[in-house]
Amino acid sequence: MIIKILGSAAGGGFPQWNCNGLHSANVRAGKPGYRARTQSSLAISANGSDWALLNASPDLRQQINDTPALHPSVDGGLRNSPIKAVVVTNADVDHITGLINLREGQKFSIYGSDRVLATLNANSIFNVCAPENVPRIAFALDRPTQLTGAGVDLGLTVEAFAVPGKIALFLEKGGEKENYGSRDGDTIGLKITDTATSKSFFYIPGCAEVDPPLAERIKGAELIFLDGTLFTDDEMVVQGLSHKTAQRMGHISISGPNGSIAALKPLSIARRIYVHINNSNPVLDENSEARRIVDSAGWEVGFDGMEVRL
Amino acid sequence: MIIKILGSAAGGGFPQWNCNGLHSANVRAGKPGYRARTQSSLAISANGSDWALLNASPDLRQQINDTPALHPSVDGGLRNSPIKAVVVTNADVDHITGLINLREGQKFSIYGSDRVLATLNANSIFNVCAPENVPRIAFALDRPTQLTGAGVDLGLTVEAFAVPGKIALFLEKGGEKENYGSRDGDTIGLKITDTATSKSFFYIPGCAEVDPPLAERIKGAELIFLDGTLFTDDEMVVQGLSHKTAQRMGHISISGPNGSIAALKPLSIARRIYVHINNSNPVLDENSEARRIVDSAGWEVGFDGMEVRL
């Protein structure tokens, strides 16, 4: 199985269009130790020819251009694409907007929870992926679903499971007691398994905490890509970028007693990679103390173009 | 007045993600005489500091990254942007999707016809540009509107006018007799005027024909950016890419007795630049006969990063 990080940044990307914070300003100025990042997406393939995307970011056109494996085959028809399926983990704009780039009558499949697909159905702009060419397939949680698209069996299964999280910001309703309108399945993690080799990995780009059921599920895994949005719970508040904590945004922080380094330490996961990294996160500076802490803890910081084989 | 072409390609961009046609394959392979192009958008400014976008393409994040004039000021606040307004000419995905990139609470204004704004209102995903920060302003046709945004007067007026065209593809209804559901104002052209200098230009990225009222309006203009989607009416049919002619898609062709070269020849327009160029258009090959014809006729083929001062 081949896994490519197409985009390793959280919503807004790195730099973010309107951000003059320390890290966005530094990467824009070309400061050493920084690299630009597009928004949150992975591409996966069992055979190297047929691919599924995990989330479709607003930067998808640029990500496809930058990834030769996702170009049309020069030996294929006038219109062809190796992208056969897209799996979306929530309805955040950084995870669904890229679908709008996948128009032009190409056949592929969209997989998501019924709650996320309902958001696509409620927004007519997603009809550029016309349902007669692009079926929208709701998967049940906690059960492996075989990925197929455009008549191709991808040789991969995806098992979606609910994780502690939050509804997409643009769908939030008032009333803090209501958890902003979130319900189970608004945010999901994925377990991807190569049918032939039985190798598997976890992809959880948004997650508010590693609670006991999640810890149990990922224990002993060979590989995980996890929500690395923020390093400390209050970093956006401290940097003056927002009044919201990581928890309020539905993201676990990397550091601290309840952070992901601590939570995954006892779980014997062989390879741990952060994705969905926000422009406020000090790990974006390769020379930072935060980065040293992450490195020392045996974690990796994902970057655009990173490839893992399993 | 400064005018920058952010994106010179039609919907899908160049290359298009799933296109293995001659030109997309050539540009992807790096063949000399070709350059990649992002999707349809201009940026305009009277003072060089405050900018308005004319259309917001799906490639907007990349376009902002590639255009230093659109970066936040390093002397400004933690969040700031020189982009104060966006004017949309229709509800095509290549003209509205970029709005989704302009989130994060930044104040600016969106201008469009009431029909186009109704499409934004009907798609909740555009609420990432929350109306309390980003007012949606419907302009009347045939009357200059002063552009303002985030409390700034841009020193520019925009006059929108209906042109022969078509409704956005994803909004089309069946029934050819109904013109696919189009009404006056679904596709508009813009006349932009610098208030201080009274210099003006026309921007018409989609237009099905130059009828007598349009010819009268643009006669004697100093500068026009015009729909250069297709070179010949049937080129997508001939190339096997679609069953649709330019006319069916609501686009005038460049060549032929009813094409834009012929239509604008008697109108004494000083500078004529094609934008919204489709991946099937042979003018994308700088060594083509089509390109020679366009050059000889005194037209220019717009490209990403092209700058015009007026």
Side-chain angles (χ1 to χ4, degrees), chain B residues 21-103:
Chain B
L22 177 69
H23 304 301
S24 283
N26 281 344
V27 72
R28 218 176 261 124
K31 189 172 173 188
Y34 284 93
R35 60 166 97 198
R37 286 170 156 86
T38 60
Q39 290 164 89
S40 182
S41 178
L42 300 190
I44 57 172
S45 177
N47 63 10
S49 305
D50 301 302
W51 291 81
L53 306 183
L54 307 183
N55 289 319
S57 98
D59 299 314
L60 184 54
R61 185 171 173 272
Q62 181 183 356
Q63 292 167 341
I64 292 173
N65 280 344
D66 290 347
T67 309
L70 301 181
H71 293 180
S73 164
V74 293
D75 304 321
L78 281 169
R79 294 282 170 86
N80 77 84
S81 172
I83 300 170
K84 308 299 184 196
V86 180
V87 185
V88 288
T89 60
N90 64 12
D92 278 349
V93 290
D94 48 328
H95 286 160
I96 62 174
T97 302
L99 292 169
I100 302 171
N101 287 289
L102 300 182
R103 55 183 174 158

Side-chain angles (χ1 to χ4, degrees), chain A residues 224 231 253-256 259-274 283 288-301:
Chain A
I224 189 169
F231 189 73
S253 50
I254 289 176
S255 65
S260 53
I261 288 178
L264 268 67
K265 196 170 179 190
L267 300 182
S268 308
I269 299 173
R271 195 164 176 191
R272 290 152 287 158
I273 300 172
Y274 284 120
V283 302
S288 66
E289 173 65 8
R291 184 62 165 261
R292 198 195 54 73
I293 291 170
V294 165
D295 292 346
S296 309
W299 279 80
E300 294 167 79
V301 177

Side-chain angles (χ1 to χ4, degrees), chain A residues 190-242:
Chain A
L190 301 176
K191 181 182 184 182
I192 308 290
T193 305
D194 183 320
T195 318
T197 65
S198 297
K199 297 262 190 184
S200 66
F201 73 96
F202 289 92
Y203 171 58
I204 311 176
C207 180
E209 68 170 307
V210 179
D211 60 3
L214 180 57
E216 188 54 38
R217 189 186 288 271
I218 61 180
K219 199 173 174 177
E222 196 164 347
L223 170 66
I224 189 169
F225 295 87
L226 187 66
D227 182 342
T229 310
L230 301 181
F231 189 73
T232 47
D233 190 55
D234 63 353
E235 84 189 30
M236 293 196 70
V237 183
V238 168
Q239 294 180 34
L241 295 169
S242 172

